[in-house]
Amino acid sequence: MLTGKVILNAPTGLHARPAGELVKLVKGFKDSIVKISAEGKTANAASMLSVLALGIKSGTGLEVSVEGGDERAVLDAVTGFIQSVEG
């Protein structure tokens, strides 16, 4: 398992549109389980409702963990996506 930390800087937080894009990205990696943790809560990143339930606001530090095939590439893709969310 690999983990990485990233800060969400999108002014509007991780709302439905970017959360949906994140879920779609994660579901493309069939051999990996991706989890996102924020402020003591953890969500399966392949579940839209779980991701939205985290209530991630701008400036929140996230920990992304990946277990499965090609962990480094998946971790880089997910953290890169989170850094690129603009609103």
Side-chain angles (χ1 to χ4, degrees):
M1 177 181 350
L2 287 179
T3 61
K5 297 189 185 238
V6 64
I7 295 175
L8 178 76
N9 289 314
T12 56
L14 195 65
H15 57 84
R17 185 190 51 75
E21 291 173 6
L22 173 62
V23 169
K24 184 177 178 180
L25 171 69
V26 168
K27 286 185 175 183
F29 298 108
K30 306 264 186 230
D31 296 332
S32 296
I33 297 171
V34 180
K35 295 191 177 186
I36 297 176
S37 299
E39 299 178 348
K41 298 185 281 185
T42 301
N44 179 339
S47 167
M48 178 80 158
L49 290 178
S50 292
V51 171
L52 288 174
L54 291 176
I56 302 168
K57 299 186 183 331
S58 181
T60 301
L62 307 172
E63 181 174 275
V64 179
S65 63
V66 180
E67 186 171 346
D70 208 8
E71 293 172 342
R72 173 55 54 197
V74 176
L75 181 63
D76 289 347
V78 172
T79 56
F81 172 81
I82 292 168
Q83 288 175 330
S84 74
V85 174
E86 295 180 356

